Amino acid sequence: MTMRLSYGTNGFTDHRLPEALAIMAELGYEGVALTLDHQHLDPFAADLAARVSQTAGLLERYGLAVAVETGARYVLDPWRKHEPTFLSEEGAGERAGLIRVAVDVAVDLGCDIVHLWSGAVPPGTPDDVAWERLVSGLAPVLEHAENAGVRLAFEPEPGMFVSRLSGVRELRSRLGDPAALVATVDVGHAVVNEETSPQECIRENAELVAHVQIEDMRRGVHDHLEFGEGEVDVPAALRALLDIGYDGLVSVELTRHSHDAPRVAARSIAVLRSALDAAQA
């Protein structure tokens, strides 16, 4: 079994979720990175259980694997993007609660990956305080995930406290290197601010890579681009994933392209298929 090409629902926010899944399947995607958000699968909806059950049925009908993502911009606070986080002086418990719900949703959808990140450091917060908040806030959530048989795939995000894969390794160390805490590797982010290439990052962190996001980007600029508009060597990244035996999702993340989602998704899978052919040659 090898990697499965996937698309993120955060790039289909103008579509109803059943329609987005149908389009992905028709285009040939084998998986979906499903962001819990108000317009698709609202984690706080009164009928969440029924909607999760419906979604599980659709995933089975279309043969789509799934990973649950938790990066919705305003799902917790309608005024503040991505807030509160584990690092927030107030409200960190809300972020922990969201991740717990995501773990439960993942179980009901039949998947074992929940994606998450640290959040940005509040102004004036020393690093030691930020680490203490992140570790203490994440520890009970991690225990909940372990008990559920779910892995938390932590993503380094440019501009956030944990912005590189080295930070994920430090977080794991501070938590005792738990098997259930793994990494999301965003190929574009690696181009933006990692010290080595995406393919080197993948190989160097092979034992941690449990979820992959992909798009094009340019060095030093955190802007999600369509393939061909940036500096990502897509065949080289896929070759590295093949080399480490990665068998999870490789999910296109184009969060600002929902206005043209079907055509962007079609162009993206064409590039990925060509790149995969080249990587396998």
Side-chain angles (χ1 to χ4, degrees):
M1 192 173 186
T2 187
M3 69 189 81
R4 287 161 288 181
L5 303 182
S6 170
Y7 205 91
T9 59
N10 56 11
F12 267 88
T13 56
D14 291 327
H15 285 71
R16 299 176 184 88
L17 181 58
E19 295 168 345
L21 297 178
I23 291 170
M24 292 176 197
E26 187 170 341
L27 289 173
Y29 286 98
E30 298 175 294
V32 55
L34 201 167
T35 297
L36 301 185
D37 206 352
H38 64 90
Q39 70 274 69
H40 284 151
L41 201 57
D42 187 341
F44 304 116
D47 62 344
L48 177 61
R51 296 181 66 188
V52 170
S53 178
Q54 178 194 36
T55 302
L58 291 170
L59 294 170
E60 183 177 6
R61 179 195 304 176
Y62 296 129
L64 294 170
V66 63
V68 174
E69 298 201 350
T70 60
R73 294 183 177 96
Y74 293 100
V75 70
L76 293 178
D77 187 329
W79 289 92
R80 299 179 301 156
K81 177 183 175 182
H82 290 156
E83 293 288 342
T85 74
F86 284 110
L87 306 182
S88 300
E89 186 173 359
E90 297 181 358
E94 296 178 44
R95 177 62 56 177
L98 173 63
I99 307 303
R100 284 177 173 270
V101 170
V103 167
D104 296 339
V105 169
V107 170
D108 290 341
L109 293 178
C111 77
D112 73 338
I113 291 291
V114 168
H115 149 278
L116 71 166
W117 35 240
S118 66
V121 183
T125 303
D127 281 0
D128 60 338
V129 173
W131 276 119
E132 191 282 327
R133 289 178 184 173
L134 180 56
V135 170
S136 63
L138 186 56
V141 178
L142 182 61
E143 182 179 4
H144 180 66
E146 289 173 331
N147 292 336
V150 170
R151 294 176 293 166
L152 298 183
F154 205 98
E155 179 190 6
E157 180 88 17
M160 292 191 178
F161 180 57
V162 177
S163 62
R164 293 181 176 179
L165 285 159
S166 59
V168 178
R169 287 193 171 276
E170 181 169 352
L171 177 59
R172 293 185 82 252
S173 178
R174 287 172 179 263
L175 285 161
D177 291 316
L181 183 60
V182 287
T184 294
V185 173
D186 187 303
V187 174
H189 291 173
V191 166
V192 172
N193 71 341
E194 291 284 359
E195 295 179 352
T196 58
S197 68
Q199 50 269 30
E200 290 173 295
C201 287
I202 289 165
R203 292 190 175 95
E204 291 168 358
N205 296 278
E207 77 282 10
L208 296 183
V209 181
H211 184 44
V212 174
Q213 298 170 344
I214 193 166
E215 65 286 303
D216 217 339
M217 287 197 194
R218 301 187 185 99
R219 182 71 178 171
V221 182
H222 187 196
D223 188 11
H224 291 237
L225 306 172
E226 284 196 64
F227 297 119
E229 297 179 357
E231 302 170 24
V232 170
D233 186 336
V234 181
L238 298 185
R239 178 70 255 174
L241 291 170
L242 290 171
D243 288 346
I244 69 170
Y246 178 70
D247 63 359
L249 300 186
V250 178
S251 300
V252 177
E253 187 176 42
L254 290 171
T255 61
R256 298 177 183 175
H257 293 69
S258 289
H259 64 283
D260 197 22
R263 291 194 295 180
V264 172
R267 290 194 293 267
S268 297
I269 197 168
V271 171
L272 288 175
R273 283 171 168 163
S274 177
L276 188 55
D277 286 343
Q280 291 172 328

